[in-house]
Amino acid sequence: MAYIPVKRPKFSILDRIYVVELVRGLGITLKHLVLSLLGKSRSKKDFNGAGIGACMPFPEQRWDDHLPSYYRGAPALVRGEDGRERCVSCQLCEFICPARAIRVVPGSVAPGSSCSKQEKAPAEFEIDMLRCIYCGMCQEVCPEQAIFLSQQYLITPTDRKQAVRNKEQLYRLGGIRKGLIHKWNQFK
Amino acid sequence: MSSQQEQLPKDAAAAEGKVNVQINGKWYRFPKGTRIADACNSVGIHVPCFCYHPKLSVAGSCRMCLVEQGMPPRLAPGATPTYNDDGYQTIQWMPRAVVACANTVAENMGIRTDGTVCREARRAVLEFLLTNHPLDCPICDQAGECKLQEYTADYGQPSHRFTEAKIKKGKNISIGPRVNLDQERCVLCRRCVRFMKEIVGEEILGVVGRGGHNAIACFPGKTLDSNYSMNVVDICPVGAMTSKDFRFKMRVWFLKSTPTIDTNCGTGTNIFIWSREQQIYRITPRQNDAVNSCWMPDNHRLNYKYINSEKRILTPLVKTDVGAPQRPGAWEPTLRAVSEQLRRCNPKQTAIIVSARLTNEELYLAGNLAQLLGISQLDIVPRSGEPDGMLICADRNPNTTGAKLILDKDGRTLDDIRLGIKNGKIRHLIVIGEDVTAEAAIPESHLSKLDYLLVIDHSETATTRAADVVLPGVTFAEKYGTMVNITGRLQRLNKAIEPLGASRADWDILRSLLQGSGGDMSLLTARAQSPMEILDEIAAQFPAFKGVSWAAVGNSGIPITETGETIPLIEREQTKQ
Ligand code: SF4
Ligand code: SF4
Ligand code: SF4
Ligand code: FES
């Protein structure tokens, strides 16, 4: 075993009696109190709120317009611009999902359909939102760019069954994604 | 080995009929005539192969197995070879690689699989194979067990230099009732062609087209409808030949493979059961050169649907009154009631029909139960069909030999039991694992005349419908046990999935019945907690089983008795060698 000495910071006497830090912390609280009383708190500026308190008064106000672009919410399936189900039910997302939230039942594409070259598409696709941990691994692993984390964050099922989203719900949430994948084009 | 007086390694090896070969710097000894690929693989040095299959003739066409090879220098006339301190000659390496599948080892040969020559050769072959290969992995059933995927990951290059459009070929072509062909994914190893020609003996498949348009196809007017057609799916190293039954069912990396044996006929073909979460998805053959080589018939392979079917009985069923419908019951009270009833039955008026599809352990317990209750009328139901001259034998029971050894029964007294039931001499009947209205030809109307009918079976049949009590047993995939095949080979059944629902393994049910029926059987059977322990008991009691144990049987089985029967396909394979 190698020992790695850890350097601890040296505290001065002021740090040790911590009164200074305590007072400074109280100062921040007091500042917000004053701003709130004046109706000028951060919630006014950042969330178009009434200016009371530093937080968003959820659920009267919603995050929707204030979400950063990189926010990752519930995973959803997308269709291509041509309406094609992008998912080919390769089950890689099911395999990678650390929470085992995904369940894919593979199926075939009807021979006559416009995307018959793809041959395979999910017969059923389920994501259990009580299991999903929003890690984004499914999006990362998907070779078909068919699954993305949407910005949906308000998920309030009233029982376990309701928390399981089926293929139809997932496509409704995902919608259409721009940028064609030419791989399954008939002429490729 | 430094003194010249001592024997040189080459002479020592020659005395054993072997040759010395240096592989990646280490010296090994192999029997003369061993293929370089087999030699390397046998010492754990993997040589990638597409076209080479140990059971088929050598094609040498894919060039994936290229290795660097060297031999001792060719001597000038009159010169004597010189040996180094270890007694070997120096190796002169050839500038070009050779195929490992079509060449055999020779004395003082050198093989290198880890040098630049070999690495570069493999990379180039893969790049060449991938020039026209489709990007199908996400929809390809072979993904996860595809040699092309594996070798590309191990030896290939990450990018593609070929910018021309890929050649289009046929996709998803149905070439037979059970097999689909995707010509774009084919690497033209011709294993499928050789299998059909050499093992099945039918020329169905061939190669058509030239150059990049080379493709596998059926000869005009022919379809791949042999009962061994699905073996081409197994040997196809890529996803060109795929099974219609398994098509898009499950990715292979989710599946657990359990080594066990096929129970459709007396051959006892060695198989893998592929399952995920209590669901069986496919069955594939498992190599055993004494039983089935690498192959299995299609109809046996596809006969697994009954395991997860709706017809399964998942709880004990009890008829509480004459003419009343069967109602689900709990195990313990049902077992108690059954044991009580069995004790009350007059043994002279009771018969037991057991299935030769049961394991040795279950037959043994059934025999014990008969003995305990004093029942002398017990027999199996023989079952036969046309042998196919390959792997399917005439005996369609997997364990007739075991029944003969353990119960000394072969179905000859079944007629007496049938007659006894017909004329009312037999009032009570215990049926284990059979639908007696089928092969045993006991009509339902006769069954309904019985006072008591106890059935242990896994699925609903005419017999279970007529029963007073049905105890749900399991299929061969849900239990451990041993069986003896027609050639007298003792083989193991392994449990692939847990018993479905509330069903219990047949040996477990029989053991409970034995315990419940009292008597002094307690000394032996009650003690055995598992089929393995019951096998130990059998080994102690029956001379044929002397010295066998679960571990000794292993996954490839051991011959325990002589029956004089042989398996035609194995005979042919052995005479060919
Ligand atoms: S969403 Fe993507 S990773 Fe998941 S099954 Fe479909 S294609 Fe495969
Ligand atoms: S044959 Fe192998 S490499 Fe080709 S698409 Fe199928 S899995 Fe992928
Ligand atoms: S179909 Fe498969 S087995 Fe037949 S030649 Fe092509 S790659 Fe080989
Ligand atoms: S395996 Fe040797 S050439 Fe194909």
Side-chain angles (χ1 to χ4, degrees), chain B residues 181-182 185-193 205 216 232 235-238 240-241:
Chain B
L181 168 65
D182 187 311
R185 294 180 198 155
C186 172
V187 292
L188 291 159
C189 68
R190 287 178 23 248
R191 278 184 177 190
C192 51
V193 177
L205 298 169
I216 295 291
V232 305
I235 56 171
C236 181
V238 291
M241 295 284 184

Side-chain angles (χ1 to χ4, degrees), chain B residues 49-52 60-63 65 99 101:
Chain B
C49 293
F50 283 117
C51 68
Y52 177 54
S61 61
C62 72
R63 317 313 277 182
C65 62
V99 283
C101 63

Side-chain angles (χ1 to χ4, degrees), chain B residues 150-178:
Chain B
E150 285 166 22
Y151 297 159
T152 304
D154 290 349
Y155 317 110
Q157 61 185 34
S159 62
H160 194 69
R161 288 184 289 168
F162 195 72
T163 52
E164 286 84 346
K166 294 194 174 194
I167 293 173
K168 301 283 106 194
K169 294 185 205 168
K171 291 187 84 66
N172 194 10
I173 310 168
S174 170
I175 54 166
R178 291 172 292 278

